[in-house]
Amino acid sequence: MALVVQKYGGSSIGTPERILRVAQRVAETRRAGHDVVVVASAMGDTTDELLDLADRVSRVPGPRRELDMLLSSGERISNALLAIALTDLGVPACSLSGPQAGVFTTPEHGAARIVDVLPTRVRQELDRGQVVLVAGFQGLCKDTDDVTTLGRGGSDTTAVAIAGALRADVCEIYTDVDGVCTADPRVVPTARLLERVGYAEMLELAANGAKVLMPRSVEYARRHGVVLHVRSSFTDQPGTILADQEVEMEKTAITAIAHDRGTALLSVTGVPDDVLRPARVFRALADAGVEVDMPVHRASRGWVDLSCVVSRSAARTAVGALHAAADDIGFDAVACDQGVGKVSVVGAALTADVTATVYETFAALGVRIALFTTSELRLSALCGEDELDRSVRALHEVFELGAGDTGDQAVVYAGSGRGW
Ligand code: ASP
Ligand code: MG
């Protein structure tokens, strides 16, 4: 008998029919003799719809505490419905909110981090023979005694944290694709399912646009040694196992091509080239909570030009933060190009030959590269957003990542556009 944590994404439980199907799957696992904890996201697009409702009753963004009270309700609805469906199937079940399940977080509303999981109540309910359903994406901050949410996609992190705290045998992440693929199958029809991926590569994929897992959940799983199993809630396909790289090395150097449409290129030009001022640019962005990627620092004749990639949703905040610090920084101009996309080649021990091949592929397509960076595990190029899809397809082909005629092509089931 094992202890299994199963996480279901919003598209897997988007309708009452899908909730019933998930309940059947949970019931089967339970009847096979396992202890089961389920973490479900909110149904379908509930979180977006709740945000939309808030927009319609206020001209300015609502108080963050209230937004968290509002958004956390989405996960309570879906988990309670699952518990109701399971009970009807004759499987004793009990749903718990994040705070009831002992998920404790930092105070930042909308971006809280899990600091501790005390699963006493979850254990009690398991010991009573119940399936326990935990509302994902939320917790309680002990200092403020308020409900918090973990940021978009946060249910993955809830599931991994609960699995870690319970020392579960496996944490299964159910989604609307068969597992982790060599590229987004919505963009690359020949994308192939990966049987195993190391945490490090998965972290790069997740951080660079592969929405199948929230990056923080991968990092959490790596640190706590939680074995993650990504699979489809629509089939019985074996899915993808995430485990330590040392245990299982990928055979080929390149694992997958990730892409990210939600990027913007931020440029700060004409910063006086003294030791203090460029640092103030990145401090202003960090203090405003803006994550930067692919930073480039170019110094010439007494001036420094800085550029970096930020997420499109943070572009306004980034520009605002720089203007607010304009006197301290003393730049000439700030520009933000929102028409860009990022394509990343992820693998192990990426060589100069890979860099050359990527440049040659872009050259053959006639696609201009706006920014380029490499690391041991990732090589990213920024290009026009409208060039993104064909760049991803070309790289996937050049590095021969496709399924060929083997028939193990990846399939997208729900078409939510949220995960691969
Ligand atoms: N419902 C939340 C979201 O849409 C959390 C999640 O799905 O993981 O971001
Ligand atoms: Mg998700």
Side-chain angles (χ1 to χ4, degrees):
M1 192 178 90
L3 172 51
V4 180
V5 174
Q6 297 186 334
K7 184 259 168 180
Y8 291 92
S11 59
S12 299
I13 48 163
T15 62
E17 294 72 33
R18 287 186 179 176
I19 288 184
L20 273 173
R21 200 167 45 202
V22 164
Q24 300 275 10
R25 189 185 279 270
V26 174
E28 275 164 33
T29 313
R30 178 74 192 123
R31 287 187 181 127
H34 304 305
D35 279 340
V36 190
V37 176
V38 173
V39 176
S41 298
M43 289 173 71
D45 295 326
T46 301
T47 307
D48 289 323
E49 287 159 14
L50 290 172
L51 281 170
D52 194 48
L53 276 177
D55 274 349
R56 290 165 61 178
V57 295
S58 168
R59 280 162 299 166
V60 292
R64 297 174 75 141
R65 177 190 182 279
E66 299 311 326
L67 286 174
D68 275 359
M69 288 300 282
L70 176 73
L71 295 188
S72 60
S73 67
E75 269 69 9
R76 291 186 50 178
I77 293 171
S78 53
N79 282 274
L81 286 172
L82 269 171
I84 291 168
L86 279 163
T87 310
D88 186 53
L89 292 173
V91 177
C94 157
S95 70
L96 300 173
S97 69
Q100 281 177 307
V103 178
F104 296 108
T105 75
T106 56
E108 303 84 18
H109 287 293
R113 292 180 158 266
I114 296 179
V115 288
D116 207 1
V117 179
L118 297 175
T120 325
R121 177 77 190 273
V122 178
R123 276 245 178 263
Q124 270 171 12
E125 302 298 343
L126 284 174
D127 291 345
R128 286 194 190 121
Q130 312 234 52
V131 168
V132 184
L133 299 111
V134 176
F137 169 62
Q138 57 189 270
L140 182 79
C141 172
K142 275 190 196 159
D143 297 337
T144 59
D145 205 22
D146 270 328
V147 173
T148 53
T149 65
L150 309 178
R152 299 307 302 266
S155 295
D156 293 341
T157 307
T158 304
V160 174
I162 296 264
L166 290 170
R167 299 189 187 289
D169 295 281
V170 64
C171 179
E172 298 178 334
I173 307 278
Y174 284 94
T175 178
D176 57 2
V177 292
D178 283 335
V180 182
C181 306
T182 51
D184 184 343
R186 294 175 182 90
V187 173
V188 185
T190 54
R192 187 172 43 87
L193 188 69
L194 291 161
E195 267 172 52
R196 285 183 91 96
V197 182
Y199 292 118
E201 284 120 311
M202 190 61 229
L203 197 53
E204 294 289 347
L205 288 173
N208 290 286
K211 299 198 178 59
V212 68
L213 284 171
M214 192 203 201
R216 263 163 57 198
S217 69
V218 182
E219 176 56 21
Y220 202 103
R222 190 184 62 77
R223 262 191 291 126
H224 296 265
V226 175
V227 176
L228 281 182
H229 188 174
V230 182
R231 27 189 332 197
S232 164
S233 59
F234 295 87
T235 68
D236 286 319
Q237 298 289 318
T240 306
I241 301 270
L242 257 82
D244 236 326
Q245 253 174 317
E246 280 89 38
V247 182
E248 184 81 15
M249 289 288 281
E250 282 292 314
K251 281 188 214 78
T252 50
I254 292 162
T255 307
I257 314 291
H259 72 277
D260 191 350
R261 264 177 237 291
T263 52
L265 172 59
L266 185 68
S267 316
V268 188
T269 46
V271 178
D273 190 4
D274 63 32
V275 291
L276 292 175
R277 292 172 196 250
R280 289 179 189 156
V281 169
F282 290 103
R283 173 50 59 203
L285 293 172
D287 285 350
V290 176
E291 290 298 331
V292 304
D293 185 36
M294 305 174 79
V296 173
H297 179 127
R298 202 180 308 107
S300 151
R301 299 170 209 272
W303 303 100
V304 175
D305 292 339
L306 299 163
S307 18
C308 62
V309 175
V310 299
S311 85
R312 213 169 283 172
S313 54
R316 273 238 313 262
T317 309
V319 172
L322 291 172
H323 280 298
D327 289 346
D328 282 347
I329 303 169
F331 53 75
D332 210 21
V334 169
C336 193
D337 179 355
Q338 307 217 24
V340 293
K342 182 171 62 176
V343 48
S344 303
V345 177
V346 173
L350 300 180
T351 58
D353 187 55
V354 179
T355 300
T357 307
V358 171
Y359 263 90
E360 284 158 6
T361 308
F362 275 82
L365 292 173
V367 172
R368 197 185 142 265
I369 293 176
L371 219 59
F372 188 88
T373 49
T374 66
S375 75
E376 285 284 292
L377 296 168
R378 161 169 76 110
L379 184 156
S380 290
L382 201 72
C383 63
E385 189 188 353
D386 44 354
E387 319 268 37
L388 203 55
D389 286 2
R390 58 195 193 103
S391 304
V392 173
R393 282 194 283 268
L395 289 171
H396 192 264
E397 199 176 318
V398 161
F399 291 113
E400 297 178 346
L401 298 174
D405 290 331
T406 54
D408 53 351
Q409 246 140 293
V411 181
V412 183
Y413 297 95
S416 68
R418 285 191 57 87
W420 63 271

